Amino acid sequence: MTIQLLVTDRTLNVLNPLDGWTKLACDLNFNQPASGSVALPARPDVMQLLQPGNRLVVIRDQAVWCAGPMEEPQNYSWDLSQNAGPGTVTVSFSDDLARLAGYLTYPEPTKAFASQTTTNDVVRTFSAQNAETIIRTLVNENCGPGALAARRIERLVLDTVAGVGGTRSLSTRLEPLLDACRTAAATDGLGFRTRQVGDQIKFGVYAPIDRTGSARFSYGLGNLRSVSFTLGAPLATSELVQGGGDPDESASPPNVRVYVEVASGAAADWYRVEKLIDKTGTLDDFGGELTQAGTLALGDDNPQASLATVTVDTEDLKAGRDFGLGDKVTVVLPTGLEVADIVQTIRLEATPNEGELVTTVVGDSDKTTNTATVRLMRDLARRLGRLEAR
């Protein structure tokens, strides 16, 4: 194991290494910003590096594992039991995807916010375009090289086109940028990420791989640490999507409603459960946007099985080498049931004395680690956000 920590400024100029760290933990997450922390002695030379705007680069075996902003550069503590030493400082950091998470989708990206058209129906619309192209365009025009100068993220460029994804339509207005990207990515199961290459931050889209045949986890193989599995009834089997214009608004010609039903087929095993999805403002399903809304809703409402698994690296099967974020792998439960699900998180834990441990979270952790109340509040917040943006 060789791990090195470097501190850079926001333009990726290396300032100095961080020496003397005592504990490191870093989670790489699928289509979400990373989450990491490192504990260090609070020496003056260390504290001088831990300043707002600086970045932390984690290098593992001469390759960048994670690189991004310090979200909490100084969490300092001291007490007399530390023999009056300098104390300890813990740094919380993320990857550069966290910078993108701070942006909203402008209805008119070429205009400053104060200059946006003063009507309530202006949206940024992509009609029947490739999903990868939509995601790349959203990033480019809101915070990439094609964005307004004041909104550009330093050193951010678009990675090589991967040529993945099908045809989609998307409408967005003052929505969190990564939420819009996830919407465009969801139907095809695409992934997106940032990675530091030299003096550039590259944003790219990729297609995860089905590795269910080669990446297998079980107690017998020695790479399964814990597992929880729930088999339950769907929240909905038929998503009833309501689009078109609002009939209460005066329009010429008059606005009309458009209705699309997206069914999962799970009603044959369970029973029919209907849910209404309001997509008022999407006037037709020509580009499949109403159908996409129903398909995305089924992803939340019709999980016949939810799986939360923590695996551990072995010599035969290692994260980053044999599988990556978003890839589909197989978990063999002690009951004998085999479940295929995607890699949500890859976690690196390390100390100088004990070495490193790499574990992987497989399964839909959003459903298995959060209570129903938390999910309800998240859904409410998303709906309120859409109302506020209308």
Side-chain angles (χ1 to χ4, degrees):
M1 174 197 73
T2 302
I3 293 179
Q4 183 183 17
L5 306 182
L6 299 178
V7 176
T8 78
D9 61 18
R10 65 177 64 223
T11 57
L12 277 63
N13 296 309
V14 176
L15 302 179
N16 259 320
L18 275 181
D19 296 324
W21 58 274
T22 58
K23 185 176 182 180
L24 171 70
C26 181
D27 289 355
L28 304 181
N29 301 310
F30 180 56
N31 288 356
Q32 299 276 0
S35 175
S37 66
V38 60
L40 304 117
R43 303 188 312 263
D45 61 304
V46 169
M47 301 301 286
Q48 187 176 6
L49 293 171
L50 307 182
Q51 300 298 322
N54 284 349
R55 301 168 65 256
L56 184 65
V57 182
V58 179
I59 299 175
R60 176 179 181 242
D61 295 335
Q62 301 182 335
V64 176
W65 174 269
C66 180
M70 300 180 190
E71 296 191 315
E72 192 174 85
Q74 297 185 18
N75 185 347
Y76 174 74
S77 64
W78 177 93
D79 62 60
L80 192 59
S81 66
Q82 296 174 326
N83 298 320
T88 300
V89 62
T90 300
V91 181
S92 297
F93 62 93
S94 185
D95 60 10
D96 291 303
L97 205 59
R99 293 286 308 274
L100 279 66
Y103 285 76
L104 301 180
T105 57
Y106 276 20
E108 299 168 291
T110 60
K111 299 180 181 179
F113 182 73
S115 302
Q116 298 289 305
T117 301
T118 55
T119 56
N120 65 358
D121 58 352
V122 175
V123 296
R124 181 68 174 100
T125 301
F126 301 86
S127 297
Q129 294 188 29
N130 170 262
E132 179 187 7
T133 300
I134 293 174
I135 297 169
R136 289 169 60 91
T137 302
L138 282 169
V139 170
N140 181 51
E141 66 187 19
N142 283 287
C143 61
L148 296 172
R151 303 186 74 206
R152 291 175 197 156
I153 293 176
E154 300 87 351
R155 302 293 185 181
L156 178 65
V157 299
L158 297 180
D159 210 337
T160 304
V161 174
V164 296
T167 300
R168 303 284 172 260
S169 292
L170 179 76
S171 296
T172 180
R173 182 178 187 274
L174 299 179
E175 177 183 10
L177 174 58
L178 292 191
D179 283 0
C181 291
R182 280 188 286 267
T183 299
T187 303
D188 295 307
L190 299 180
F192 52 83
R193 61 194 168 198
T194 55
R195 58 192 186 102
Q196 180 175 328
V197 180
D199 62 352
Q200 293 181 321
I201 301 169
K202 294 190 174 184
F203 173 87
V205 182
Y206 66 99
I209 300 172
D210 186 339
R211 301 185 187 273
T212 50
S214 60
R216 297 173 61 84
F217 301 91
S218 72
Y219 172 77
L221 293 173
N223 56 14
L224 185 60
R225 171 174 279 194
S226 67
V227 60
S228 61
F229 176 72
T230 302
L231 181 65
L235 300 177
T237 61
S238 290
E239 305 289 351
L240 310 180
V241 187
Q242 174 181 265
D246 192 335
D248 294 334
E249 295 179 358
S250 58
S252 180
N255 289 325
V256 295
R257 286 294 192 190
V258 179
Y259 301 103
V260 173
E261 178 177 354
V262 181
S264 66
D269 295 324
W270 295 89
Y271 35 76
R272 183 178 177 88
V273 184
E274 299 174 343
K275 181 178 178 181
L276 181 65
I277 305 298
D278 186 8
K279 289 291 290 182
T280 298
T282 303
L283 301 182
D284 55 53
D285 198 36
F286 176 75
E289 192 169 356
L290 296 178
T291 299
Q292 178 176 261
T295 302
L296 291 172
L298 282 177
D300 292 329
D301 294 336
N302 195 34
Q304 297 185 57
S306 60
L307 174 72
T309 299
V310 177
T311 73
V312 64
D313 267 10
T314 65
E315 287 301 320
D316 295 328
L317 191 61
K318 290 189 175 183
R321 185 191 71 184
D322 302 308
F323 61 89
L325 290 171
D327 287 352
K328 183 177 286 188
V329 299
T330 298
V331 178
V332 183
L333 276 62
T335 62
L337 178 66
E338 294 191 4
V339 181
D341 215 324
I342 69 171
V343 175
Q344 294 283 358
T345 298
I346 299 176
R347 180 177 180 83
L348 169 67
E349 297 176 277
T351 64
N353 295 329
E354 298 177 3
E356 68 175 35
L357 175 67
V358 177
T359 57
T360 301
V361 177
V362 179
D364 197 342
S365 58
D366 185 58
K367 293 183 179 64
T368 53
T369 61
N370 291 327
T371 66
T373 302
V374 171
R375 296 199 302 274
L376 176 62
M377 293 305 294
R378 281 186 175 181
D379 182 60
L380 178 61
R382 285 195 293 265
R383 288 188 281 118
L384 287 174
R386 287 197 292 269
L387 289 172
E388 290 171 356
R390 287 181 61 185

